[in-house]
Amino acid sequence: MKAKLQEIASRFALAAPIASIDSLGEGFINDTFIVRTEGDAPDYILQRKNKNIFPDVPAMMENIRKVTDHIRRGVVAAGGDPMREVMTVVPTHEGVLYHVDADGEYWAVSVFISDTIAYNKADSEELARKGGEGIGKFQAQLADFTEPLAETIKGFHNIRHRFVQWDEAIARDAAGRCKELAEEIGWIESRREEMLAFWSKVEDGTIPTRVTHNDTKINNILFDKQGEVLCAIDLDTVMASTSLNDFGDAIRSYTNTGDEDDRDLSRVGMSLGMFAAYTDGYLSQRAKQLAQSEIDYLAFSARYITYEQVLRFLMDYIDGDTYYKIKYPEHNLVRTHAQYKLLQSMEEQYDAMCGIVREAVAKYC
Ligand code: GN1
Ligand code: MG
């Protein structure tokens, strides 16, 4: 494996000879490695992109190139550091943004930004506030981006599309698990209409479409050692969608008092303090630019994305675990239960969440 990784990494235009390659991080989809180089040259991130999930890796890499080029121009214009405040994609020696190996696997490389921290959990309201500010800035950096972007995963946060997949998965019952899941399936069905009603607002344009990250959990954001956000990483799902996805998914991640896959449900819930902190940071950057419809659904978007996550984990369990990497056989079911507990906690605190949004909007408008 080491020799194969070396061979693959050597296809890319690295600034120095390779010293070592090791596995990195906890991604559920791609395989990630850190390529350390000799001397003062940067180190690099090497990723095997999951072609089962991303059917068109070249189009995805082109999205990432366009978006990072745009952000880089803005960072340079503002006097920032373009090697730290945006991801840098490294092409192959032939100038291609990916390499296809002998097995037909797709690989890509970016510069590893050193002296940074990627958190798996938000441990303070200050960090949540900074995270909100970071995604607010990311959206602001892309507000004037006008190039078309490919849809890297069809209907990614589109619940109408998810229901098509869901209905098929239930009908197929590939792993024969549906009979034991009546209660969990009921959780999804009982909220189907309200989730579709929300998505209709995106479809009819009431809620505008913008450039969005779509995977804003905390470990996809790089912080510097002073606690400031440097940049968003894992741009595989950058697409045109609603900005509410990014707020909602971040709330799902930052405010959870337990783990995404906690077996101990007593630990899981939404911290209202963390919600307030993230919301304050986010709206400090975005309040003036958002449409009223986006503000109206901001708190709801956390319920929407968390619901969608319950559906996606449960659907993968029903399908026999074909999408997410799992560490043990019932991992997707444990994730389903933990995310459902989080959803319930949001539902219980929904009025307070709406109040917090109103206050923050008033503060920044
Ligand atoms: C996946 O790739 P990663 O681990 O950052 C997933 C997200 C889920 C998340 C759940 C392309 O993100 O949508 O919310 O796991 N990414 C994709 O933790 O499906
Ligand atoms: Mg990631």
Side-chain angles (χ1 to χ4, degrees):
M1 187 62 187
K2 281 264 142 106
K4 188 178 168 210
L5 287 172
Q6 291 259 353
E7 195 272 323
I8 289 162
S10 70
R11 302 289 180 134
F12 289 87
L14 311 182
I18 298 166
S20 64
I21 304 186
D22 295 291
S23 207
L24 183 79
E26 291 267 309
F28 291 3
I29 308 289
N30 300 318
D31 297 324
T32 306
F33 303 89
I34 175 155
V35 180
R36 297 197 192 278
T37 60
E38 290 171 7
D40 293 338
D43 296 331
Y44 297 90
I45 296 290
L46 170 68
Q47 269 194 327
R48 186 178 69 91
K49 300 289 187 182
N50 189 326
K51 66 175 179 188
N52 296 328
I53 289 177
F54 299 108
D56 190 349
V57 175
M60 172 172 94
M61 294 308 299
E62 190 55 26
N63 276 2
I64 298 176
R65 185 196 61 76
K66 286 180 186 168
V67 162
T68 53
D69 280 357
H70 183 93
I71 297 177
R72 185 172 303 103
R73 282 193 290 274
V75 167
V76 169
D81 181 347
M83 291 309 284
R84 294 182 66 75
E85 293 174 38
V86 61
M87 247 183 72
T88 302
V89 179
V90 179
T92 64
H93 294 292
E94 291 76 37
V96 182
L97 300 175
Y98 55 90
H99 167 67
V100 188
D101 71 14
D103 303 322
E105 296 293 342
Y106 284 78
W107 297 82
V109 167
S110 59
V111 171
F112 174 78
I113 307 174
S114 59
D115 295 319
T116 54
I117 310 175
Y119 294 91
N120 277 317
K121 216 166 155 36
D123 52 10
S124 71
E125 291 180 5
E126 188 49 24
L127 193 70
R129 194 182 186 290
K130 291 287 179 194
E133 235 178 75
I135 279 299
K137 280 187 191 149
F138 176 82
Q139 291 183 350
Q141 284 170 323
L142 290 168
D144 57 346
F145 180 94
T146 51
E147 293 173 73
L149 289 174
E151 191 176 18
T152 52
I153 298 181
K154 186 173 184 300
F156 191 51
H157 287 310
N158 173 342
I159 208 72
R160 195 180 303 284
H161 181 73
R162 292 295 181 187
F163 281 131
V164 172
Q165 298 175 326
W166 166 260
D167 291 339
E168 284 168 5
I170 302 265
R172 213 171 29 233
D173 194 13
R177 288 171 167 168
C178 280
K179 59 182 181 305
E180 295 146 25
L181 298 169
E183 187 184 347
E184 290 83 351
I185 291 171
W187 298 341
I188 300 300
E189 294 301 339
S190 62
R191 293 166 177 83
R192 189 191 275 247
E193 293 313 318
E194 83 179 316
M195 296 301 160
L196 282 170
F198 164 75
W199 193 254
S200 306
K201 307 272 179 206
V202 177
E203 290 168 325
D204 71 14
T206 309
I207 295 172
T209 294
R210 303 182 189 274
V211 181
T212 51
H213 182 284
N214 295 308
D215 191 6
T216 46
K217 65 180 178 184
I218 188 166
N219 67 10
N220 285 333
I221 307 296
L222 271 192
F223 291 79
D224 70 14
K225 299 233 160 116
Q226 287 70 50
E228 298 294 327
V229 168
L230 275 175
C231 59
I233 52 174
D234 196 350
L235 298 177
D236 295 354
T237 53
V238 162
M239 281 180 267
S241 190
T242 161
S243 66
L244 295 169
N245 297 341
D246 290 351
F247 182 82
D249 198 42
I251 296 302
R252 181 184 76 78
S253 161
Y254 283 77
T255 69
N256 189 350
T257 51
D259 295 324
E260 191 184 57
D261 59 352
D262 223 310
R263 283 176 176 278
D264 179 358
L265 293 181
S266 70
R267 295 183 63 229
V268 177
M270 188 195 74
S271 154
L272 201 58
M274 294 292 253
F275 177 82
Y278 189 93
T279 302
D280 187 79
Y282 177 71
L283 287 174
S284 73
Q285 304 301 311
R286 297 298 289 153
K288 287 204 177 76
Q289 284 75 38
L290 292 180
Q292 186 60 42
S293 57
E294 292 173 296
I295 288 170
D296 291 345
Y297 283 96
L298 209 54
F300 187 80
S301 72
R303 287 168 55 186
Y304 177 84
I305 290 285
T306 307
Y307 170 86
E308 183 202 292
Q309 195 65 67
V310 177
L311 183 155
R312 289 173 64 199
F313 283 148
L314 182 56
M315 185 163 72
D316 198 31
Y317 186 66
I318 290 171
D319 274 340
D321 312 305
T322 60
Y323 188 96
Y324 290 110
K325 289 183 194 170
I326 53 168
K327 292 188 175 152
Y328 50 88
E330 69 286 9
H331 200 168
N332 273 319
L333 185 60
V334 169
R335 288 168 170 154
T336 301
H337 282 247
Q339 289 290 291
Y340 182 65
K341 176 78 193 299
L342 180 64
L343 174 62
Q344 285 178 303
S345 171
M346 290 173 177
E347 289 172 345
E348 282 156 18
Q349 300 183 81
Y350 186 56
D351 288 346
M353 291 162 73
C354 292
I356 286 167
V357 170
R358 273 194 302 276
E359 277 170 33
V361 170
K363 177 172 165 191
Y364 293 112
C365 279

